[in-house]
Every structure is written in C-alpha cells, then in structure tokens.
Amino acid sequence: MSSRALSFGAVAEAYEQFRPGYPTALRDLVLDYAGGPIRTALEIGAGTGKATRLFAAAGTAVTATEPDPAMLAELRRQVPGSTAVRAAFEELAPGQTYDLVYAAAALHWTKPEGRWPRVAAMLVPGGVFASFGGPVRPAEPAVERIVDEARSAFMDTDEIPSPDGTPPGHSMQWPGTELQQSGQFTDVRQAEIERRLTMSAAGYIGHLSTISAYLELPPADRERLFRRLEQTLPEAIEIDARIIAHLARRL
C-alpha cells in the first residue's frame, strides 16, 4: 500500500470532524438494489467509520477493515462495539463471505491485481458489491476559482485520476467500467445522489487538510496555501457533495 494511502492517520481526528458523513438515501439505494436483507457486510478501508455507522444503524453486522492504526482507533471511538480489523484489503484471509462488500471513498487505494476475483470470493452467491464517494468542492464557480488559483502554485489538481483512465463525463465511471469487464459481476449500475452542504471557510479548509494531496505537501507550503485560502474565501461556502455510487451483483 502506498504512503499516500496511509497518510490519513496523522489527521484522524480532523478526518472525523471535517469529512461529511453519508446520508440515509445512500443506504436506501444499496438496500433497494439488494432486494432483500443485508445481514452481514465487509467494509474496505473504513477510515473513521462514517459509512460503518450508516449500515450498522440499519442492523447490518459490519466488519470494518482499516490498515492505518490511528484511523482504526478513531473508528473504535466513534463506533463502539464495532467489529474493526486492522488490515489492508489484500491482507484479509479468504474463507468468510458476506451479503455486502463495500468501499466508501477507499477502493482506489486497493491493488488492481486480482481485485475483482477477491471481492467476489468474499460475497455470497448473488451478494452485492458497492463503491461510493465523490469530490467535495465549492458549488459556486467564483469560489471554485479562488481555490483553484490558490492551489495552482503548489499542485495542478487535488483529485486522484481514474484508476483505469476513464475520462470525466463518461456514461460509466470507474469502478463500474472494471466491474462490467470483470466476468465476476452482473447488473452493474451507476447512480448519483445530489447533495448540497454549507460549510464555513474554516470547515472547508479543515476538509482540505484531510485530503491526501495536501497531506503530501511540505508543511510550510501547506500552511502558506491554507493561509491564503483563509484570506480569500467567503465566510460561508455552498458545497457540491454529490455521491456517485456503483453497484453490482456477484454472479
């Protein structure tokens, strides 16, 4: 696993504080797709447990896996009594199967080699795989320009490119593209949940402080960038926090 994938532990508390949680509409989308009860689930890269608590609240027994010890400790604080395992996805022992395997803004950190046979082997026949996430960015173009201009002195973009090179705007985004070609899954769907949030400038900068691209900056550069944003952003920011979900069923 890359150092970038393991960079979040240094900001585990900020991650919990500033990253948005997930709406019940997302859980409803997954449950409706499943078409039956989801009693057990395996979560890949659970972070501080924002998606863990979403599914646990519906009565699903979630086994949350997370390779970073600081993130795992925060998860255990936030979701007491949860089954939380310190492990990368590739380190999980085979054998146990689940009704649902899912990843919340974490699948891109897994290794591509053997990813889909491994996921399929962890699902019961007909079990569901779900991956969801999406960028959190200013909804107003003028505010987005402020962020882009401040960031441009330090990096071209803070986003992670599509792992398989699928261009933005394509009718099917990654990982749906890979799921369709895997030979392990059927009924691959892509869905979007519109969501708007309002954040303070400090809250938005706090969110940026938990993104790997900024965590990789030298501390002095990161501080300089965030100070510039503090000086130029409006006090309240409307945020486009839409969620893109991909769903598939094991053959």
Side-chain angles (χ1 to χ4, degrees), residues 62-237:
V62 180
T63 298
T65 66
E66 168 57 47
D68 189 290
M71 295 289 274
L72 190 67
E74 187 66 26
L75 185 157
R76 287 171 172 157
R77 280 193 290 271
Q78 298 298 329
V79 195
S82 61
T83 301
V85 179
R86 182 183 175 186
F89 174 61
E90 296 78 11
E91 297 169 344
L92 295 173
Q96 188 166 355
T97 55
Y98 303 85
D99 299 325
L100 169 68
V101 173
Y102 71 92
L107 189 68
H108 53 281
W109 299 124
T110 62
K111 294 179 181 178
E113 297 82 6
R115 177 191 286 133
W116 301 118
R118 188 171 180 79
V119 171
M122 292 180 173
L123 283 166
V124 300
V128 171
F129 171 76
S131 177
F132 44 86
V136 174
R137 56 166 64 99
E140 298 177 12
V143 179
E144 189 167 30
R145 281 195 296 272
I146 291 173
V147 177
D148 289 345
E149 289 171 5
R151 186 180 57 229
S152 63
F154 304 95
M155 66 183 83
D156 293 331
T157 180
D158 59 8
E159 296 184 9
I160 295 175
S162 173
D164 69 350
T166 302
H170 194 272
S171 58
M172 178 62 76
Q173 292 291 306
W174 183 90
T177 46
E178 285 188 2
L179 284 162
Q180 289 177 325
Q181 300 169 13
S182 69
Q184 305 282 338
F185 295 89
T186 187
D187 193 18
V188 178
R189 302 184 195 178
Q190 178 174 291
E192 185 171 310
I193 298 173
E194 293 287 343
R195 183 172 61 158
R196 291 291 179 100
L197 307 172
T198 300
M199 291 184 178
S200 65
Y204 181 63
I205 293 169
H207 171 78
L208 294 181
S209 76
T210 71
I211 293 176
S212 60
Y214 299 94
L215 290 169
E216 289 202 315
L217 285 176
D221 287 350
R222 187 166 58 244
E223 183 178 346
R224 189 157 50 248
L225 169 56
F226 289 165
R227 190 182 307 117
R228 180 174 178 184
L229 289 173
E230 287 173 358
Q231 295 168 349
T232 54
L233 285 171
E235 290 184 6
I237 303 171

